[in-house]
Amino acid sequence: MTGLLIRGAAMLGAHAEDLRVRDGLIAARGSLSPESDEHVIDARGLVALPGLVDLHTHLREPGGEASETVLTGTRAAAAGGFTAVHAMANTSPVADTAGVVEQVQRLGQRHGYADVRPVGAVTVGLAGEQLAEIGAMARSEARVRVFSDDGMCVHDPLLMRRALEYVATFDGVVAQHAQEPRLTAGAQMNEGVLSGELGLAGWPAVAEESIIARDVLLAEHVGARLHVCHLSTAGSVDVVRWAKARGIAVTAEVTPHHLLLTEDLARGYDARFKVNPPLRRDEDVLALRAALADGTIDIVATDHAPHPVEAKECTWAEAAFGMVGLESALSVVQQAVVDTGMLSWADVARVLSSAPARIGRLEGYAHPLEIGSPANITLLDPSHAREWSTADLRGRSTNTPYTGRQLPGRVVHTVHRGVLTVDDGALVEPEAVAAAHQEVARG
Ligand SMILES: NC(=O)N[C@@H](CC(=O)O)C(=O)O
């Protein structure tokens, strides 16, 4: 089989068409008849989206292979409809040299489930004391464009200024984890009445908002691009809205979980709901949804943060921060903002594919589903609904916050560079994915 014919999918949720995939590209659209060497996919009733792009994934390799690897994480990505992920730098060793980022990128290429774009650390060892080899990572084979100490905030204003100045020279971006460390020492959950009631140290909204306010001003001062990771408060939305109105080159992301879940889930002290930044209040969730709808927030990014069972099945205070999110992202977005009428499927294509690709300077996603574009395609069934369980996960860790929840939508097929990675809801085996990529490469 050298090509694919996808029949009758609703393009970006609008009118139905057939799509022909050849040599890794979208070759034709319209009303098409199958050719003898084509694999035909009946996609009637399915929505066709461009392959999803995650700007914020923790793949854990090297060093954290007990929680996730590049292979298991990209399989989880494919299952969730993603064809590209940006791999965060908080690995062990930290991705702060050209050697580590090249290693991560090559692992992604070898497995073939999704493009893996390494994120480079801003500071050596994420320690916040000395700039990492930013230029070497940018010039490396991995061509790093996104730099982040995610998990840690670049809190020293001078280092942040220097990092912004540096990345501006090659059109890179600093993705800031906005968390003032002094205001969040020992913090366990959102600061408010509930944290007092539960006896858990509070994490004030101002710890996030004050860093964003400082950094948008620094970005303006030096004329650089700033990206703000995982916005979680209504106040952060206000600051970003103000900065954009002023013409500052800032972009912002929200996670699926911050669009759906609130701090009330901490009541049971179940550490599956412990995450950085913490789940906030209803008002924050509504402000984040509205900001995504009006464009103040540019993208949805998963912050997929796998952890081993022992890091979550312990007391709240001892547990690690983080939730897995690649497999559930599209369903949670559908529930929070599509089924509520705030975003169309074309908007979803923007916030989960073309906009994150643009921020990461990733090519091939600018013209979703257009003829001549790389064939990165996600086909989903939005009418499907199911009770979420750990059986829905494809990565190595099970720390999902959605177990027992009704979630809509199901990824039925994922096509990465012309190769099926998910077929009829099931992951395609690694050997078959590798062989199909070789066939595409041979033309
Ligand atoms: N988002 C999370 O809750 N966890 C992240 C890093 C972080 O603490 O931000 C992780 O790497 O586990």
Side-chain angles (χ1 to χ4, degrees):
M1 285 295 158
T2 53
L4 294 175
L5 183 65
I6 299 167
R7 305 199 82 173
M11 298 293 143
L12 305 179
H15 60 280
E17 273 184 53
D18 304 331
L19 269 180
R20 168 159 290 134
V21 173
R22 285 268 156 176
D23 303 327
L25 302 176
I26 294 176
R29 267 177 75 155
S31 182
L32 308 169
S33 312
E35 292 177 2
S36 58
D37 60 349
E38 274 177 342
H39 174 62
V40 179
I41 293 173
D42 179 1
R44 284 171 298 176
L46 306 185
V47 170
L49 296 177
L52 308 183
V53 177
D54 194 17
L55 200 66
H56 194 143
T57 310
H58 295 278
L59 288 179
R60 303 295 190 222
E61 192 174 358
E65 290 84 354
S67 322
E68 198 78 284
T69 64
V70 174
L71 177 60
T72 62
T74 53
R75 281 166 65 87
F82 289 87
T83 53
V85 296
H86 290 74
M88 274 299 171
N90 64 339
T91 49
S92 179
V94 167
D96 57 5
T97 61
V100 178
V101 293
E102 284 177 348
Q103 177 195 357
V104 170
Q105 192 210 24
R106 279 188 211 136
L107 284 167
Q109 265 166 357
R110 182 188 311 160
H111 302 312
Y113 281 94
D115 290 329
V116 175
R117 298 289 316 276
V119 173
V122 175
T123 68
V124 175
L126 310 179
E129 284 164 9
Q130 189 188 334
L131 281 187
E133 293 175 9
I134 289 175
M137 289 187 271
R139 286 189 303 273
S140 76
E141 221 174 85
R143 297 187 65 254
V144 178
R145 288 295 174 273
V146 183
F147 291 84
S148 183
D149 274 3
D150 181 67
M152 308 291 282
C153 181
V154 183
H155 60 90
D156 179 331
L158 181 59
L159 267 179
M160 186 62 182
R161 174 192 176 152
R162 294 285 181 245
L164 287 165
E165 283 171 337
Y166 206 161
V167 300
T169 63
F170 53 83
D171 195 28
V173 65
V174 177
Q176 175 67 297
H177 173 119
Q179 177 188 353
E180 216 301 312
R182 299 265 295 151
L183 290 173
T184 51
Q188 294 287 329
M189 67 170 291
N190 180 47
E191 179 180 289
V193 176
L194 188 60
S195 61
E197 196 182 305
L198 298 181
L200 293 171
W203 187 309
V206 68
E208 175 171 310
E209 294 153 7
S210 57
I211 292 289
I212 301 175
R214 179 199 77 177
D215 287 353
V216 294
L217 293 171
L218 281 174
E220 177 179 48
H221 184 63
V222 305
R225 288 202 289 142
L226 169 73
H227 177 73
V228 188
C229 296
H230 39 52
L231 256 63
S232 71
T233 76
S236 294
V237 168
D238 289 338
V239 176
V240 170
R241 188 174 284 127
W242 173 86
K244 286 191 165 186
R246 208 171 143 98
I248 298 171
V250 59
T251 53
E253 78 189 29
V254 63
T255 69
H257 44 275
H258 288 108
L259 290 172
L260 193 67
L261 308 178
T262 62
E263 62 171 4
D264 288 315
L265 290 162
R267 279 186 190 283
Y269 297 96
D270 179 342
R272 281 180 307 143
F273 302 112
K274 180 174 176 180
V275 67
N276 177 347
L279 302 176
R280 305 283 189 181
R281 307 160 307 161
D282 279 324
E283 307 83 294
D284 298 301
V285 168
L286 295 179
L288 293 164
R289 289 181 184 183
L292 186 66
D294 74 18
T296 304
I297 293 178
D298 302 82
I299 68 167
V300 174
T302 68
D303 196 6
H304 178 79
H307 287 289
V309 175
E310 59 275 17
K312 285 295 190 180
E313 285 188 358
C314 51
T315 65
W316 182 282
E318 284 167 335
F321 289 97
M323 308 170 159
V324 294
L326 285 167
E327 300 96 330
S328 51
L330 196 50
S331 291
V332 174
V333 166
Q334 182 181 337
Q335 183 163 82
V337 289
V338 179
D339 291 350
T340 52
M342 302 179 82
L343 259 68
S344 66
W345 288 114
D347 294 327
V348 172
R350 174 171 46 79
V351 302
L352 269 166
S353 181
S354 55
R358 193 165 57 245
I359 294 166
R361 296 298 188 250
L362 173 61
E363 284 163 18
Y365 291 85
H367 307 289
L369 308 180
E370 295 292 325
I371 295 171
S373 291
N376 294 311
I377 307 164
T378 296
L379 295 161
L380 83 131
D381 176 3
S383 67
H384 184 93
R386 67 173 169 309
E387 185 178 308
W388 192 259
S389 79
T390 52
D392 292 301
L393 302 175
R394 293 290 172 272
R396 190 164 275 179
S397 296
T398 54
N399 52 309
T400 172
Y402 303 113
T403 307
R405 223 172 240 275
Q406 276 294 120
L407 288 181
R410 172 171 171 260
V411 172
V412 185
H413 304 278
T414 307
V415 180
H416 172 236
R417 295 181 179 269
V419 169
L420 270 172
T421 54
V422 174
D423 193 11
D424 212 0
L427 279 163
V428 176
E429 287 308 313
E431 302 73 33
V433 168
H437 277 297
Q438 277 165 16
E439 197 175 312
V440 168
R442 278 196 301 270

